């Protein structure tokens, strides 16, 4: 009995040859991390890996710090879900990226239904960001998804009511509430050179010129197998040259289901390409995957017939993609 217990325990030891965060640190990065969500925290095998700092030194709450959860009615704040994740991260000495203050989606209904005038909505936004921030996060996606694909500004309740200054209102409120947190603007389809990433570069330039606090550009990284842009490194470098840091904040690389060997191998290469681009740009400071197992990926629920986007499969087993990330961190940079 005792021997069989010992031998099975031995087989459960993780292979020590590859660990995502260790390799990120060895590449001069601050962290490799993952998003997580509160309902998943009752899954014990899941949590055991979530806490593994050899792979993850950073956590992002994927839902529980969003507006619908944190200020469900005006002036009534609820940090129960967010605090649960912050506590878990602190206990495991993992950094937290807060997510998010000014965003048009997963908003509380009252923000749009109120038909507020400019002054009132400015104070609503200011109050929301100020109240969110004193939560000791390393960094925050203060503004999320402000752009259209052509680089113009998305017409949200904040943009339409307040104008472009809603972005500086949110950033200034965040800085006042938590002077130490790194303040980010975060968006998708910003990986390569494009009209949308031009829009982000121009916005950050303008904010810097106006002395609005801005510390980083968050590149979400929701990508498709076989369609990774070829200009990631060049784009990250021009972002960094604006005097901000860059982080990949929500990486996943989806494929048509079911996964085939060829698709899994291509996915491995694609992860390697993205990680190597971050490695090559000094101010790309870290990478977060948008949860770590296909069991809890948002992809199949949103993109019909697609999924298998993460480095671990639905049974919490490492896929080739995991080793693609390792290869990315080990790649030589010029
Ligand atoms: C606060 O949020 C938690 C987690 O989502 C929820 O269970 C709880 O009911 C909320 N509290 C109130 C007073 O709405
Ligand atoms: C996960 O395990 C189940 C049950 O053994 C199996 O049917 C399924 O194919 C596995 N999934 C993957 C992606 O290997």
């Amino acid at each position: 009995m005792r021997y069989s217990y010992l031998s099975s325990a031995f087989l459960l030891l993780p292979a020590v040859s590859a660990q995502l965060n260790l390799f990120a640190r060895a590449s001069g990065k601050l962290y490799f991390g993952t998003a997580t969500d509160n309902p998943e925290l009752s899954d014990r095998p899941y949590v055991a890996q979530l806490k593994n700092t050899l792979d993850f030194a950073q956590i992002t709450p994927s839902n529980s710090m969003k507006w619908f959860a944190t200020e469900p009615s005006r002036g009534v704040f609820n940090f129960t879900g967010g605090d649960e994740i912050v506590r878990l991260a602190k206990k495991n000495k993992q950094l937290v990226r807060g997510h998010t203050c000014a965003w048009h989606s997963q908003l509380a209904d009252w923000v749009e239904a109120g038909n507020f005038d400019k002054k009132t909505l400015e104070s609503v936004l200011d109050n929301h960001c100020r109240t969110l921030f004193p939560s000791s996060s390393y960094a925050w996606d203060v503004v999320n998804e402000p752009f259209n694909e052509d680089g113009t500004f998305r017409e949200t309740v904040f943009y339409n009511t307040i104008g472009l200054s809603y972005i500086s209102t949110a950033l200034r409120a965040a800085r006042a509430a938590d002077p130490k947190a790194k303040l980010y603007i975060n968006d998708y389809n910003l990986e390569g050179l494009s009209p949308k990433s031009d829009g982000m570069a121009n916005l950050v330039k303008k904010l810097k010129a106006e002395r609005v606090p801005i510390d980083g550009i968050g590149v979400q990284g929701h990508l498709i197998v076989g369609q990774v842009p070829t200009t990631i490194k060049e784009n990250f470098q021009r972002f960094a040259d604006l005097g901000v840091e860059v982080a990949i904040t929500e990486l996943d690389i989806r494929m048509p289901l079911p996964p085939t060997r060829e698709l899994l191998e291509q996915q491995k290469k694609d992860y390697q390409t993205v990680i190597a681009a971050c490695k090559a740009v000094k101010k790309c400071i870290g990478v977060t995957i948008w949860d770590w197992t296909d069991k809890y990926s948002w992809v199949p629920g949103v993109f019909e017939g697609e999924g298998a986007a993460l480095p671990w499969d639905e049974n919490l087993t490492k896929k080739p993609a995991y080793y693609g990330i390792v290869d990315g961190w080990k790649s030589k940079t010029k």
Side-chain angles (χ1 to χ4, degrees), residues 259 313-315:
D313 73 14
E314 67 203 21
N315 298 324

Side-chain angles (χ1 to χ4, degrees), residues 73-251:
S73 37
R74 189 174 176 185
V76 178
F77 284 87
N78 183 347
F79 296 117
T80 308
D83 284 350
E84 184 185 12
I85 289 174
V86 170
R87 266 199 309 276
L88 179 133
K90 276 205 169 142
K91 204 167 146 206
N92 298 305
K93 299 194 162 54
Q94 292 162 311
L95 300 171
V96 174
R97 294 192 84 263
H99 178 83
T100 174
C101 183
W103 191 31
H104 63 280
S105 184
Q106 294 182 275
L107 198 51
D109 290 342
W110 64 270
V111 179
E112 283 184 357
N115 287 313
F116 300 119
D117 62 19
K118 175 174 171 168
K119 239 187 150 147
T120 309
L121 191 60
E122 263 170 355
S123 91
V124 161
L125 179 62
D126 176 90
N127 186 50
H128 186 73
C129 293
R130 275 176 201 266
T131 311
L132 275 186
F133 278 80
S135 69
S136 54
S137 288
Y138 158 71
W140 266 91
D141 297 322
V142 181
V143 179
N144 199 32
E145 301 178 356
F147 290 105
N148 295 315
E149 293 307 296
D150 66 359
T152 59
F153 290 98
R154 189 193 285 272
E155 301 208 348
T156 66
V157 64
F158 301 113
Y159 184 80
N160 290 342
T161 311
I162 299 172
L164 184 55
S165 69
Y166 89 87
I167 291 177
S168 37
T169 297
L171 288 164
R172 287 195 166 112
R175 175 57 38 95
D178 186 354
K180 279 194 267 181
K182 301 274 189 186
L183 308 182
Y184 275 69
I185 305 176
N186 189 52
D187 214 325
Y188 59 90
N189 289 349
L190 283 188
E191 294 74 30
L193 295 168
S194 70
K196 193 174 191 177
S197 56
D198 290 347
M200 178 65 96
N202 291 333
L203 172 63
V204 168
K205 213 177 291 173
K206 177 171 146 64
L207 294 172
K208 285 255 169 202
E210 294 169 358
R211 303 194 169 275
V212 177
I214 174 72
D215 302 306
I217 296 176
V219 175
Q220 292 185 0
H222 294 297
L223 296 167
I224 301 172
V225 164
Q227 297 181 34
V228 171
T230 54
T231 51
I232 300 181
K233 185 175 136 186
E234 199 179 339
N235 187 46
F236 282 13
Q237 190 60 57
R238 65 114 169 216
F239 283 166
D241 291 344
L242 299 169
V244 290
E245 57 185 46
V246 179
I248 301 175
T249 54
E250 308 187 10
L251 181 61

Side-chain angles (χ1 to χ4, degrees), residues 1 7 38 41 51-52 70 80 83 90 113 149 163 166 174 181 210 224 240 256 258 263 297 309:
M1 204 49 206
S7 63
N38 299 71
L41 301 181
K51 297 196 306 199
N52 178 0
T70 50
T80 308
D83 284 350
K90 276 205 169 142
E149 293 307 296
Y166 89 87
E210 294 169 358
I224 301 172
L263 284 166
S297 173

